[in-house]
Amino acid sequence: MGKKTVRDINVSGKKVLIRVDFNVPMQDGKITDENRIVEALPTIKYVLEKGGRAILFSHLGRVKTAEDKKDATLAPVAARLSELLAKPVQFVPETRGAALEAAINGLKDGEILMFENTRFEDIEGNKESKNNPELGKYWASLGDVFVNDAFGTAHRAHASNAGIAANIQETVAGFLLEKEIEFIGGAVSNPKRPFVAVLGGAKVSDKIEVISNLLKVADKVIIGGGMAYTFLKAQGYEVGTSICELEKVALAKSLLEEAQGKIVLPIDFAYTEKFENEPAKHVGPITDIQPNEMSLDIGPKSIELFASVLATAKTVVWNGPMGVFEMSNYAKGTIGVCDAISKLQDAITIVGGGDSAAAAIQFGYASKFTHISTGGGASLEYLEGKLLPGVEIVANK
């Protein structure tokens, strides 16, 4: 990938700072999806096996006040990591200070430590999120080398990535960051063809740049989910009470013109009067929608259409669900797309993080894809063709 990785350096006997992305969903102090932890294991194990002294750190959620801290500690994550590694993980409930420094200096080769949520530093002055120079320099002083393995925050220049990299001699990518760059970056810059992008989610405004960039490189761009109704409105259809960004209709129209047939829209939908998990009243083309109805999912003919477009694809990038998949009655479209992509032979299939990654895991398709990204916003910005600060810091070291 043209960037140094952890395998290119000697970590034996060194204090290895590893920025991981353990921003995992939690409920009542329990982890509800540990995919990001599991994906970080190869880098962590490699450093430990090679005799490095691993010092892990991550953010977790948003921390704006002291009150937020009680629900944002990384202690449960450290405990789960210890179970997954089958070895002790020393947890230090501090982000700086004598206790943290003593714990780090007391590490032996092959031992591991995790310190507290980096966003605890945001309570006074957003030091982490605004890349406070003093904080980046301090964290860099705690180690000998820096391994960035947090793709989920790669689109942000924070003290815990860009700040450390600016103040340490050696910065390299971990195996997860390497994998994300290889698959998502490769899909955009040099895809095996035909290349089909599948985009869903609620709003066109969230994915304008993604659509525009993918129209330049993809052979087809399938659009489902809530943002499809803005495109249908641009084609002159009524969409009832379905989510629709009226202020983006003109933009959708211009994207359709720019696409010259590359954009593929749904052709039937599941209709209901209320946003709740009740069976659809009826399924049919957009012309069947009543003024008091909304669509919460694509219909079976759309699933067939999308599957036929995907059938010959050699590269697929999917970002965003086809409907309100959290409701069982409106998950059929998202499951259908999962299923169609999972059946492709000899194709590179990438799920671009966020809700689509959650859906692939929830519906049992995780092992069927070539790569499930750990980054939501980072995946989107990478698909837009943007340079990501967390990637760039390992580019020229």
Side-chain angles (χ1 to χ4, degrees), residues 39 91 123 147-148 161 164 166 173 178 180 263 291 332 344 391:
E39 289 294 321
F91 180 69
I123 292 174
V147 178
N148 189 24
N161 55 20
I164 294 175
E178 178 189 34
E180 298 274 15
I263 289 177
K332 294 183 181 68
L344 298 180
V391 173

Side-chain angles (χ1 to χ4, degrees), residues 81-147:
L81 178 63
S82 178
E83 293 172 352
L84 291 169
L85 290 172
K87 68 181 303 171
V89 173
Q90 183 181 356
F91 180 69
V92 181
E94 309 288 343
T95 54
R96 63 168 84 204
L100 175 60
E101 293 160 23
I104 289 172
N105 291 330
L107 284 174
K108 296 182 174 61
D109 294 356
E111 291 186 342
I112 180 171
L113 171 153
M114 181 187 293
F115 66 81
E116 188 56 278
N117 188 344
T118 59
R119 292 223 175 130
F120 281 17
E121 291 285 345
D122 278 351
I123 292 174
E124 295 181 10
N126 291 322
K127 293 183 178 69
E128 155 72 320
S129 297
K130 291 189 175 179
N131 192 11
N132 176 271
E134 178 273 330
L135 181 59
K137 186 175 182 179
Y138 172 74
W139 279 338
S141 74
L142 300 176
D144 302 312
V145 296
F146 177 41
V147 178

Side-chain angles (χ1 to χ4, degrees), residues 229-240 244 265 286-287 289:
Y229 309 111
T230 304
F231 283 90
L232 290 165
K233 189 76 171 178
Q235 291 181 325
Y237 293 106
E238 293 303 318
V239 296
C244 180
L265 294 171
I286 194 63
T287 50
I289 196 169

